[in-house]
Amino acid sequence: MLDKNLKSFPKDFLWGASTSAYQVEGANLSYGKGPSCQDVKELPEGTASLDICADHYHRYEEDIALMAEMGFKTYRFSIAWTRLLPEGTGKVNQEGIDHYNKVIDTCLKYHIEPLVTMFHFDMPDALDQRGSWSNRESVDWFVNFAKVMFENFGDRVKYWLTINEQNMLTLVGPLIGTLRIPEGTTNILKETYQQNHHMLLAQAKAMVMLHEMYPESKIGPAPNISLVYPASCKPEDQLAAQEYNAIRNWFYLDMAVYGVYNNLVWRYLEEHDATPDILEGDMDIMKAAHPDFIGFNYYSTATVQASAPSDDVDPGADQQTARGEAGYYKGYNNPNLMKTEFGWEIDPLGFRATMREMYSRYRLPMIVTENGLGAYDTLTEDGKIHDNYRIAYLKTHIEQLKLAVSDGVEMMGYCPWSAIDLVSTHEGIRKRYGFIYVDTTDEKTGTLNRYRKDSFYWYKKVIKTNGEDLD
Ligand code: BGP
């Protein structure tokens, strides 16, 4: 491919990074906050509990000042539902409102645009007790939560993300501690996609509400998108890749953008007698919602091959491990790709391919809401973290991002995971992603002091040169 005339990043490109409330804040049951599903789940062995995390709840000022030092134009963070509404509905906790007001105002003080995720894996436990997303009332619960956020923060927050990785909530919910299947459920697939249907309705209503309340503000979904490759040029493998692409990726965006159920997923659900119950008017609600942009998390591509109905397939270990579904597709180790220390494939070119494919399907501006390398970092005696492996990962991805911009893909911004070290979904704080090192461990020992990693200085230069100097 000729890449002679490369375009620059747009002048107002939103360079930043991301966190989520339950992984970074700590103070998980303090200051009036109620428990979420994350606070009551059984912790994966040897991983830190969520009472301290990076202690961002208490140290947000210091942390945002460090982000400003890197030159951030945006900071993507999530609002904990149970900090605003400890029971999920009903009484509002003013301390929670005050806290996020301070976080937002601190960002604005540094000219950092807050990019707020409304829901990042943290369903209120009180609502889980009432049936969680399987209860159709969950749509109203979420809409009420959205209203509380828009009323309190909508005057200053211009960019909103609805639900983080709804596709992962649906496909690997138990792993991230979110999916609740009511006792006695016989068709788990149907139940899962019924919950998914409610989430889609909740998302659609929230998008419409924001546009009514603040016509200038922007909102979009934030799925985890991994373009799926066929393992070979066998036509059967191509069909398998299409199935998994539909189930893993396009289903969520087809609904968010066009308000339609993806036909391949619908057929798959029909085959399993698992289509969700759709009430009259539901599809009008879906159609009425229009995202302004697409946020998406990208860590790697996935590769699959065809699978026979009798196959014993691996259901996949986590968000990034390719899954299998007997009779449809099965995960395949791509021999062309290296893996991280935690077993996730690394595919910067696949990042470009993913952006191209998304843009040709949806034609909306896009922002990368997560991308990054989970690794073990070492704090040296003189307070340094030489994370050249993270720089290498991010550099190769930003190079491809730039090529995608040259391809004509409308990219609004780039927010790698994560701004600061935090607790991983299931592998503790030892799996670090941040530009800022936090001195703590899964045993919760350490000073919690912050240290600038080598990647901190590198990213600062990247932002300063608007992505021109990546060395
Ligand atoms: C995404 C989630 C994040 C984050 C990230 C890294 O799926 O949106 O919350 O944690 O993955 O994953 P992990 O923490 O499992 O390494």
Side-chain angles (χ1 to χ4, degrees):
M1 207 172 316
L2 286 179
D3 284 326
K4 280 195 296 192
N5 297 308
L6 291 191
K7 289 194 186 123
S8 300
F9 286 103
K11 281 205 172 51
D12 53 357
F13 194 72
L14 293 169
W15 295 100
S18 303
T19 63
S20 92
Y22 88 89
Q23 295 172 282
V24 77
E25 286 181 353
N28 63 331
L29 297 174
S30 312
Y31 309 106
K33 182 180 173 296
S36 78
C37 60
Q38 297 298 339
D39 302 314
V40 300
K41 77 176 181 193
E42 199 180 318
L43 289 176
E45 211 187 318
T47 66
S49 55
L50 302 174
D51 49 340
I52 298 179
C53 300
D55 199 31
H56 186 59
Y57 184 88
H58 297 114
R59 296 169 195 240
Y60 68 89
E61 280 183 283
E62 178 186 356
D63 294 341
I64 296 171
L66 284 165
M67 294 177 205
E69 189 183 320
M70 270 187 277
F72 277 25
K73 312 290 179 209
T74 189
Y75 170 35
R76 176 197 177 212
F77 60 91
S78 78
I79 288 184
W81 188 336
T82 48
R83 232 181 246 300
L84 300 194
L85 296 150
E87 302 276 310
T89 59
K91 196 172 161 303
V92 173
N93 173 36
Q94 189 56 41
E95 255 182 301
I97 303 276
D98 294 346
H99 174 72
Y100 290 113
N101 268 329
K102 287 187 274 181
V103 171
I104 291 164
D105 290 343
T106 308
C107 286
L108 294 175
K109 181 173 97 181
Y110 291 110
H111 307 290
I112 294 174
E113 199 70 64
L115 170 60
V116 173
T117 315
M118 302 163 71
F119 181 71
H120 195 123
F121 298 168
D122 55 356
M123 190 68 166
D125 181 51
L127 298 183
D128 265 352
Q129 305 306 326
R130 294 165 65 187
S132 195
W133 291 106
S134 63
N135 184 340
R136 197 178 155 99
E137 283 179 34
S138 58
V139 179
D140 297 332
W141 301 336
F142 185 79
V143 170
N144 174 58
F145 168 48
K147 187 157 175 272
V148 172
M149 283 188 283
F150 297 160
E151 281 174 351
N152 284 283
F153 313 125
D155 57 333
R156 285 154 295 145
V157 175
K158 305 290 175 221
Y159 294 92
W160 297 88
L161 296 159
T162 53
I163 298 178
N164 180 68
E165 297 195 352
Q166 190 181 325
N167 51 344
M168 294 302 116
L169 290 174
T170 301
L171 295 170
V172 289
L175 174 103
I176 39 191
T178 48
L179 188 67
R180 296 284 174 274
I181 299 292
E183 248 174 71
T185 302
T186 47
N187 188 336
I188 291 179
L189 192 67
K190 182 176 168 69
E191 169 59 29
T192 306
Y193 278 83
Q194 188 66 51
Q195 295 193 20
N196 187 63
H197 181 71
H198 295 153
M199 271 187 253
L200 291 168
L201 282 171
Q203 165 174 269
K205 286 191 161 196
M207 292 201 278
V208 169
M209 181 163 63
L210 180 77
H211 288 141
E212 280 169 8
M213 290 174 74
Y214 300 96
E216 301 298 316
S217 293
K218 301 194 182 310
I219 188 162
N224 172 321
I225 303 293
S226 293
L227 188 65
V228 181
Y229 299 143
S232 77
C233 53
K234 274 189 0 212
E236 291 83 351
D237 288 348
Q238 168 61 9
L239 289 173
Q242 286 181 331
E243 294 287 347
Y244 190 39
N245 258 315
I247 288 175
R248 189 195 190 290
N249 300 317
W250 312 140
F251 171 58
Y252 299 87
L253 291 172
D254 286 359
M255 188 58 90
V257 179
Y258 302 129
V260 294
Y261 263 96
N262 177 284
N263 53 300
L264 294 185
V265 177
W266 193 258
R267 161 138 207 265
Y268 157 77
L269 295 175
E270 277 178 341
E271 295 281 356
H272 292 84
D273 202 14
T275 53
D277 299 329
I278 299 179
L279 301 193
E280 207 186 322
D282 282 3
M283 296 317 291
D284 296 333
I285 294 169
M286 306 286 198
K287 281 242 184 254
H290 300 289
D292 303 284
F293 63 89
I294 293 174
F296 72 103
N297 301 346
Y298 174 86
Y299 288 90
S300 65
T301 47
T303 306
V304 296
Q305 55 186 166
S307 153
S310 55
D311 274 352
D312 188 14
V313 297
D314 182 349
D318 59 31
Q319 303 102 300
Q320 293 315 132
T321 319
R323 295 166 55 73
E325 184 82 41
Y328 294 87
Y329 53 87
K330 58 183 174 196
Y332 182 83
N333 261 332
N334 188 333
N336 305 297
L337 303 177
M338 308 268 281
K339 287 188 176 160
T340 72
E341 284 176 294
F342 288 85
W344 289 9
E345 288 175 338
I346 303 176
D347 188 5
L349 272 73
F351 187 31
R352 181 184 186 183
T354 299
M355 287 181 276
R356 286 173 165 206
E357 189 66 23
M358 287 174 72
Y359 191 65
S360 69
R361 290 182 68 97
Y362 304 108
R363 290 274 163 173
L364 281 175
M366 304 193 295
I367 181 163
V368 180
T369 41
E370 287 181 32
N371 171 235
L373 178 73
Y376 298 101
D377 288 341
T378 308
L379 177 66
T380 63
E381 273 182 15
D382 57 348
K384 305 273 191 301
I385 303 91
H386 300 305
D387 58 341
N388 52 325
Y389 37 87
R390 183 166 295 106
I391 295 174
Y393 178 100
L394 294 170
K395 177 178 186 276
T396 51
H397 283 78
I398 296 175
E399 278 166 358
Q400 296 301 316
L401 178 60
K402 195 164 180 203
L403 289 168
V405 169
S406 297
D407 290 334
V409 178
E410 269 179 274
M411 294 304 303
M412 295 161 52
Y414 180 64
C415 294
W417 187 262
S418 50
I420 181 166
D421 288 344
L422 39 69
V423 180
S424 142
T425 55
H426 60 293
E427 290 174 288
I429 200 154
R430 58 184 167 269
K431 186 183 191 186
R432 294 173 187 268
Y433 284 90
F435 293 107
I436 301 164
Y437 183 92
V438 179
D439 182 21
T440 183
T441 63
D442 282 310
E443 293 71 40
K444 297 188 282 182
T445 54
T447 59
L448 287 168
N449 286 344
R450 278 49 178 151
Y451 294 87
R452 296 164 182 81
K453 301 186 190 178
D454 286 357
S455 58
F456 178 104
Y457 299 105
W458 171 82
Y459 196 42
K460 181 177 175 173
K461 190 177 58 179
V462 171
I463 298 177
K464 192 160 180 237
T465 60
N466 199 24
E468 292 302 319
D469 187 352
L470 301 179
D471 291 324

